[in-house]
Amino acid sequence: MNDEDGLRQRRPLRAQVISEESPAQVARASSSYSGKIFRATFMTLAVALLTPLLAAICLLESPIEPQTLNLQEPPLMTGVLEPNLKLRQAVRLYEDQLVGPESIANIGDVLFTGTADGQILKIEDGNIHTVARLGKLPCGTREYEPTCGRPLGIRVGPNGTLFVSDAYMGIFEVNPVTGEAVMLIDSQKPIQGKKMSFVNDLVLTQDGRKMYFTDSSSKWQRRDFPLLIMEGTDDGRLFEYDTVTKEVKVLMVGLRFPNGVQLSPAEDFLVVAETTMARIRRYYVSGLMKGGADMFVENMPGFPDNIRLSSSGGYWVAMSAVRRNPGFSMMDFLSDKPWIRRIIFKLLSPDTVMKLVPKYSLVVELSESGSYKRSFHDPDGLVSTYVSEAHEHDGHLFLGSFRSPFLCKLDLHNV
């Protein structure tokens, strides 16, 4: 190989660019680029997921028109209200043999209750018998509830007959022996221009002349009670019925979910649970205050359901949901945020929303003046769930429930 060939094969050197960036800087630049790619990808996915959600929020109609509720800060659960496990000492009875025994009455040792399948049941010597059915089959679903019927409040009249309020049909007098049911008040007939959509609880005077009852709403039915609560509807009413003249009078209006009702031992006033507002109102039916109303118990630790007399001259109040303090209460948080409640029901069904409410059963005993005497708790509702009523009989509390498939019995001597 000559010198000319060697020169021909020699390649010229390429120019090199000298940079002051260190390997660490190069790595950071690469990392920054990867971060940008990740953020862009994340934002794309977020937009893809949130766009349908925002569209649903904007375009879907909410089934409720929420009102702003002025709830006070829940009372501290201290002293008499200190959490305990006393309701867990209750014994479950007739499990899976009845569903939703909302309210309880007794004639001697025979118990009576109304259930979610539209029946009035008699429990005697450990056996369950059907006394009457106010509606018609089929039963068991939300769709059929209005025609099946839903017995709620139940009382024994002075003549030994049962007085039953059915959420959809009205109020009946039922013979506990023959099962004959006579309609006293038809909920389909408007009272002062407004229908009754949710007949709830009732109570009679000792002589049976007067009956008082609540209608929780003229808009919402019992099967829609989560919507009634979350909307804060104030169309509930308290009525008086004269069993002789058959006349019905409106005593109170503008109530938010009026629920349980009870006459005082002297029958001079009524106490009425206003569930949505976590309080009990008082209405005077005799004496100098007749026709007047005031607050009996305000700002309760839970949302009151049925109210019944205690043997001490006070009142038992059942609650299936509480306002934890210390703790978190979903209803209190949402009370002054109607726009959030509107969005929630655009996206979730009422049943789904109710599943988000923590289980916590509470029964309180009030004095004749409305002060707290004692409280029985079941945090998480492990034994006594969805408690709707505490009915005292023979040294025991029989605990009704609006959805559990059993009754509970608590021995008061042990608590």
Side-chain angles (χ1 to χ4, degrees):
M1 179 177 68
N2 54 34
D3 293 339
E4 186 177 347
D5 292 337
L7 291 171
R8 205 168 31 243
Q9 292 179 6
R10 187 178 300 149
R11 296 179 181 176
L13 296 173
R14 294 181 179 178
Q16 295 183 358
V17 178
I18 299 176
S19 172
E20 295 182 353
E21 292 182 352
S22 67
Q25 289 174 313
V26 173
R28 280 196 295 271
S30 176
S31 175
S32 176
Y33 177 75
S34 299
K36 290 179 180 178
I37 294 295
F38 173 78
R39 285 193 294 272
T41 303
F42 177 80
M43 290 301 297
T44 301
L45 290 173
V47 170
L49 293 173
L50 289 176
T51 298
L53 180 63
L54 293 173
I57 291 174
C58 295
L59 299 177
L60 291 178
E61 290 187 7
S62 176
I64 61 174
E65 299 175 2
Q67 300 180 20
T68 299
L69 303 175
N70 297 313
L71 293 177
Q72 301 177 34
E73 181 181 351
L76 287 172
M77 282 192 167
T78 57
V80 175
L81 298 176
E82 184 77 32
N84 56 58
L85 303 178
K86 292 182 178 181
L87 278 186
R88 291 188 185 173
Q89 298 181 36
V91 178
R92 290 183 176 183
L93 304 176
Y94 315 106
E95 194 158 5
D96 296 325
Q97 297 181 56
L98 38 69
V99 180
E102 163 90 8
S103 181
I104 305 157
N106 70 282
I107 299 176
D109 290 331
V110 180
L111 301 180
F112 296 89
T113 188
T115 51
D117 56 2
Q119 296 188 87
I120 309 299
L121 300 179
K122 176 174 67 174
I123 304 173
E124 185 175 16
D125 297 328
N127 298 310
I128 301 176
H129 308 277
T130 299
V131 174
R133 180 182 291 279
L134 301 178
K136 60 182 181 181
L137 295 171
C139 295
T141 66
R142 181 182 184 281
E143 175 188 2
Y144 293 127
E145 190 169 294
T147 53
C148 169
R150 182 52 170 111
L152 296 178
I154 185 169
R155 302 280 189 163
V156 177
N159 296 324
T161 57
L162 304 175
F163 288 78
V164 182
S165 57
D166 185 281
Y168 298 92
M169 300 178 189
I171 295 180
F172 295 79
E173 185 174 4
V174 180
N175 187 310
V177 178
T178 66
E180 179 186 7
V182 177
M183 179 179 283
L184 302 179
I185 298 174
D186 184 352
S187 63
Q188 301 304 309
K189 294 181 179 179
I191 299 176
Q192 291 191 1
K194 294 179 66 175
K195 64 179 181 179
M196 295 185 292
S197 293
F198 189 168
V199 181
N200 201 317
D201 196 21
L202 79 168
V203 65
L204 291 96
T205 54
Q206 293 182 31
D207 61 8
R209 175 65 188 263
K210 297 292 181 67
M211 178 174 66
Y212 303 94
F213 67 98
T214 55
D215 177 43
S216 298
S217 177
S218 61
K219 176 181 179 180
W220 298 108
Q221 295 182 322
R222 194 220 73 91
R223 57 181 176 173
D224 298 317
F225 76 90
L227 300 177
L228 169 59
I229 294 174
M230 284 296 184
E231 184 175 71
T233 318
D234 60 351
D235 63 346
R237 295 181 288 176
L238 171 68
F239 299 93
E240 176 188 271
Y241 173 72
D242 191 307
T243 59
V244 176
T245 66
K246 314 301 181 185
E247 181 183 8
V248 179
K249 293 181 180 179
V250 179
L251 301 182
M252 297 182 75
V253 299
L255 300 174
R256 300 182 193 272
F257 199 164
N259 201 328
V261 59
Q262 176 61 52
L263 272 165
S264 66
E267 299 192 347
D268 55 341
F269 63 82
L270 294 161
V271 286
V272 183
E274 196 174 10
T275 300
T276 301
M277 300 306 295
R279 65 191 184 191
I280 297 176
R281 302 283 290 273
R282 174 165 51 189
Y283 182 89
Y284 295 89
V285 293
S286 66
L288 296 176
M289 296 285 290
K290 182 177 181 179
D294 59 17
M295 200 65 63
F296 189 63
V297 186
E298 195 166 18
N299 196 33
M300 301 186 75
F303 300 97
D305 200 323
N306 283 351
I307 308 173
R308 295 297 184 263
L309 291 176
S310 74
S311 58
S312 67
Y315 307 90
W316 293 111
V317 183
M319 308 178 207
S320 63
V322 302
R323 308 164 66 208
R324 292 177 183 259
N325 189 11
F328 175 76
S329 166
M330 182 175 72
M331 187 62 188
D332 283 87
F333 173 75
L334 296 173
S335 62
D336 60 351
K337 303 173 182 66
W339 62 276
I340 296 182
R341 284 182 273 148
R342 183 179 290 108
I343 291 174
I344 287 174
F345 281 100
K346 284 186 177 185
L347 303 175
L348 302 176
S349 70
D351 287 341
T352 300
V353 173
M354 292 310 297
K355 290 177 182 178
L356 300 176
V357 178
K359 292 181 182 178
Y360 194 125
S361 295
L362 173 63
V363 173
V364 298
E365 184 181 12
L366 303 175
S367 71
E368 63 277 4
S369 62
S371 60
Y372 296 103
K373 296 183 64 175
R374 50 181 169 168
S375 65
F376 305 147
H377 302 241
D378 185 354
D380 304 315
L382 295 183
V383 176
S384 306
T385 57
Y386 304 111
V387 175
S388 56
E389 181 178 300
H391 174 80
E392 185 175 351
H393 170 60
D394 193 26
H396 295 81
L397 278 187
F398 290 88
L399 305 173
S401 171
F402 62 89
R403 64 183 302 176
S404 296
F406 49 78
L407 280 172
C408 280
K409 181 180 180 180
L410 179 67
D411 190 337
L412 290 173
H413 300 99
N414 296 333
V415 293

